[in-house]
Amino acid sequence: MASDRRYYDDAYTTSFTGQIVAAGEHAGRPAVELAVTWFYPESGGQLSDTGHIGEARVLDVQVDDEGRVWHVVDRVPTGDALPCAIDAERRFDHMQQHTGQHVLSAAFDRLLDAPTLSSTLGADRNVIEVGLAEADWRLVERIEAAANRVLWDDRAIALHWTDAEGITRFPLRKPPKVTGRIRVVEVPEWDWSACGGTHVRRTGEVGAVKIVGWEKVRGNVRFSFHCGGRALRDHAWRVEAMLEAAKRRSSSDRDLIAHLERALEERDDLRKRLAVFVARQIADEARAAVGDPPRPVVVLADGRSRDDARQFALRALEAGAPWVVSGTSGPEPQVVVARAKGTAGPDLKALLPDLLAAGRGKGGGSPEMVTISPADADGARAVAETAERTLRA
């Protein structure tokens, strides 16, 4: 028989005495069924409750196809009348997020005729996918203002039980997904939704709803948001980060974005100048290493980038080196082995098996140039030594 789930009508009870009526497993973990439970099982985009049954920790709560609620525990508790405790802070957080989501989705529906296509209330991040093509901060401002007005009205949430015939009396945002007895959560004069989740008694308990980002998916817009305590904590760290960043730059927090834009432009300009300087320096180093008359070059630098190691090899060949081994031992080890084009010399690609074995890495290339990414700095040195020994022979 289906479990007796009391949270439907009472989401505020977080401690009760429970009686185990069945013990088994759920997804390979020990689980028990209670005669009566207030624990919420994961469903409808809302996470499950956690807590304790006797001395056992409740790690997860799931409902099976028969409507039986299974409390996944770290060990099976024993006894007839067991004290049960739900994590009250987690439960209330979920209540705030779920009620806030109803109010927010109704705002999109009422103001923009944009339906909520899916919702997920995560442990750290809530998202709703809305049937919109675009979004911007001014749109978000409108939606948030409307949703939060409903919260601050402190409207009493009403719960209704009905059936397929009675459901037609309610102006639902979308058709119910269940049959039989149907539970409708009503936010007066704002939203009616068929929902089995836990909710607060009054909208004022949600406190606030804040959209913190969005992205385009499948031609729609997915919004991330926080409600209640989560919104407050999120606001706190963002304000702290913004004010501290402004303080460190001797800037007003309102001017911070303009200040950062200038800093980014200066950074990009410095990067361009540095790239020109580094290119000249590499060319000078390569010419000096090749000498006159030109000779082969073997250089394994520490701290040089992969691109710089490759550029050194190319500049050394331009300076007349018959062949070159250029590499970096870190932070990303790499070795380039190359020889001058149009000259007699070994097929470097044929050397790859020995070089890859020496470096314990991977790589590839052509008869005139191969690149090896060794496992570590020791591997880079082994590749350079192997390449030099082979080429000099």
Side-chain angles (χ1 to χ4, degrees):
M1 295 178 62
S3 299
D4 186 355
R5 302 188 238 177
R6 297 293 177 86
Y7 62 82
Y8 278 137
D9 299 306
D10 174 14
Y12 287 81
T13 290
T14 56
S15 62
F16 60 97
T17 300
Q19 179 185 1
I20 295 176
V21 294
E25 287 189 349
H26 186 278
R29 297 182 294 175
V32 297
E33 182 185 12
L34 300 177
V36 176
T37 187
W38 273 263
F39 279 92
Y40 180 81
E42 180 180 5
S43 59
Q46 180 180 330
L47 296 174
S48 76
D49 286 325
T50 58
H52 289 82
I53 298 176
E55 297 299 317
R57 286 196 305 130
V58 178
L59 309 175
D60 190 15
V61 187
Q62 296 290 330
V63 61
D64 64 18
D65 294 337
E66 298 176 347
R68 299 173 67 182
V69 176
W70 291 99
H71 307 72
V72 178
V73 289
D74 61 348
R75 60 185 183 276
V76 176
T78 58
D80 293 329
L82 295 171
C84 300
I86 296 169
D87 183 333
E89 184 176 349
R90 176 185 171 95
R91 161 64 71 84
F92 188 67
D93 170 63
H94 291 175
M95 291 160 65
Q96 286 185 315
Q97 308 312 312
H98 208 152
T99 306
Q101 181 261 309
H102 281 213
V103 173
L104 181 63
S105 289
F108 277 107
D109 194 74
R110 284 175 170 270
L111 274 65
L112 303 175
D113 195 25
T116 293
L117 306 175
S118 67
S119 65
T120 301
L121 307 175
D124 302 306
R125 178 173 179 254
N126 302 320
V127 296
I128 54 174
E129 184 177 336
V130 179
L132 282 175
E134 300 287 346
D136 57 36
W137 284 114
R138 301 291 72 81
L139 179 147
V140 166
E141 187 176 29
R142 285 180 59 206
I143 295 298
E144 287 180 340
N148 282 295
R149 276 196 300 270
V150 173
L151 300 185
W152 302 332
D153 282 347
D154 197 28
R155 304 181 188 184
I157 304 294
L159 303 176
H160 309 277
W161 285 100
T162 186
D163 54 21
E165 181 179 352
I167 197 69
T168 58
R169 298 187 292 108
F170 300 96
L172 301 182
R173 269 192 292 113
K174 55 185 178 181
K177 296 181 179 180
V178 298
T179 57
R181 295 186 74 215
I182 302 173
R183 180 171 175 258
V184 176
V185 178
E186 175 188 358
V187 179
E189 300 179 36
W190 189 253
D191 184 58
W192 291 259
S193 293
C195 178
T198 56
H199 293 273
V200 296
R201 292 192 183 103
R202 307 187 68 89
T203 60
E205 293 180 77
V206 176
V209 58
K210 185 73 184 77
I211 293 173
V212 294
W214 62 87
E215 58 184 333
K216 295 185 68 174
V217 291
R218 297 179 290 274
N220 304 307
V221 181
R222 179 190 291 153
F223 292 91
S224 300
F225 67 97
H226 296 303
C227 300
R230 289 194 201 183
L232 179 61
R233 291 189 294 272
D234 183 80
H235 178 72
W237 79 258
R238 290 178 190 272
V239 169
E240 179 181 351
M242 181 180 68
L243 294 182
E244 286 298 320
K247 185 190 300 182
R248 294 177 188 181
R249 289 159 178 78
S250 301
S251 171
S252 163
D253 52 301
R254 290 186 178 275
D255 298 330
L256 181 60
I257 292 180
H259 182 92
L260 292 176
E261 290 289 350
R262 289 194 299 272
L264 288 174
E265 291 175 0
E266 292 172 1
R267 181 205 63 183
D268 292 342
D269 182 59
L270 289 173
R271 280 182 173 176
K272 291 177 182 178
R273 294 184 183 185
L274 180 61
V276 172
F277 173 78
V278 170
R280 290 175 180 170
Q281 183 183 36
I282 289 175
D284 291 343
E285 290 180 3
R287 282 193 294 269
V290 172
D292 189 15
R295 57 181 178 269
V297 176
V298 179
V299 174
L300 185 65
D302 183 27
R304 176 169 280 176
S305 73
R306 289 182 169 186
D307 186 64
D308 288 349
R310 180 181 178 83
Q311 289 303 314
F312 182 90
L314 295 175
R315 300 292 84 79
L317 292 176
E318 288 177 357
W323 53 265
V324 58
V325 178
S326 172
T328 173
S329 57
E332 295 180 286
Q334 181 170 280
V335 179
V336 176
V337 183
R339 64 176 176 83
K341 292 183 177 181
T343 61
D347 182 347
L348 298 184
K349 197 170 183 180
L351 304 181
L352 265 178
D354 290 341
L355 299 180
L356 294 176
R360 294 170 286 113
K362 56 185 179 180
S366 67
E368 296 171 332
M369 178 181 287
V370 293
T371 302
I372 296 90
S373 298
D376 49 32
D378 289 339
R381 285 188 284 270
V383 171
E385 292 170 359
T386 301
E388 180 182 10
R389 183 170 59 251
T390 304
L391 290 172
R392 289 195 185 283

